[in-house]
């Protein structure tokens, strides 16, 4: 199953699984600030994707995006429990480096301070 090779790239089933599983992963694992951003941006992007499929005449692919959201919403209770378990096991949020590691490396800084 190299690179998702068991399903064709434009398969409605693959579209469904990619959208549904990505929504579930984001809900379970994203930080609260990331989830807030995703809650606003993601529905708009998925709506745009579904509309794009419709314009292309790919009704089944548009339906797959809708079905992914339906499954995600149906799973919401279970995902909330999983999220609580995951968050309880997180020792601390890892700091995010906002610079360029390439430039840092080029200027001779090859390590990061331990946080």
């Amino acid at each position: 199953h190299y690179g998702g090779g068991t399903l064709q790239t434009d398969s409605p089933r693959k579209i469904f699984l990619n959208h549904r599983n990505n929504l579930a992963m984001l809900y379970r694992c994203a930080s609260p600030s990331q989830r807030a951003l995703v809650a606003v941006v993601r529905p708009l992007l998925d709506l745009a994707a579904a509309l794009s499929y419709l314009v292309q005449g790919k009704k089944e692919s548009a339906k797959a995006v809708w079905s992914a959201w339906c499954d995600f919403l149906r799973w919401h209770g279970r995902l909330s429990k999983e999220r609580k378990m995951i968050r309880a096991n997180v020792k601390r949020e890892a700091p995010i480096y906002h610079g360029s590691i390439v430039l840092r490396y080029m200027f001779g800084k090859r390590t990061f301070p331990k946080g």
Side-chain angles (χ1 to χ4, degrees), residues 74-85:
R74 211 175 3 258
W75 287 1
H76 195 269
R78 183 182 65 125
L79 293 172
S80 290
K81 289 177 187 172
E82 290 175 8
R83 177 175 172 68
K84 286 177 186 171
M85 287 176 34

Side-chain angles (χ1 to χ4, degrees), residues 35-55:
R35 280 192 337 145
L37 179 64
V38 167
V40 173
V41 175
R42 182 60 190 259
L44 296 173
L45 293 174
D46 284 353
L47 178 61
L51 290 174
S52 172
Y53 288 129
L54 284 175
V55 167

Side-chain angles (χ1 to χ4, degrees), residues 10-95:
D10 61 347
S11 159
R13 178 77 179 151
K14 184 171 188 157
I15 291 167
F16 164 75
L17 293 171
N18 284 342
H19 279 262
R20 185 201 63 191
N21 295 345
N22 186 258
L23 284 165
M25 183 272 307
L26 286 169
Y27 184 78
R28 279 192 306 249
C29 302
S31 72
S33 60
Q34 289 169 326
R35 280 192 337 145
L37 179 64
V38 167
V40 173
V41 175
R42 182 60 190 259
L44 296 173
L45 293 174
D46 284 353
L47 178 61
L51 290 174
S52 172
Y53 288 129
L54 284 175
V55 167
Q56 296 173 51
K58 299 178 179 179
K59 211 159 64 171
E60 290 302 312
S61 296
K63 185 180 171 190
V65 175
W66 172 257
S67 296
W69 271 92
C70 290
D71 262 18
F72 169 68
L73 295 173
R74 211 175 3 258
W75 287 1
H76 195 269
R78 183 182 65 125
L79 293 172
S80 290
K81 289 177 187 172
E82 290 175 8
R83 177 175 172 68
K84 286 177 186 171
M85 287 176 34
I86 290 168
R87 301 302 288 172
N89 290 323
V90 172
K91 297 202 179 354
R92 67 179 175 88
E93 292 282 331

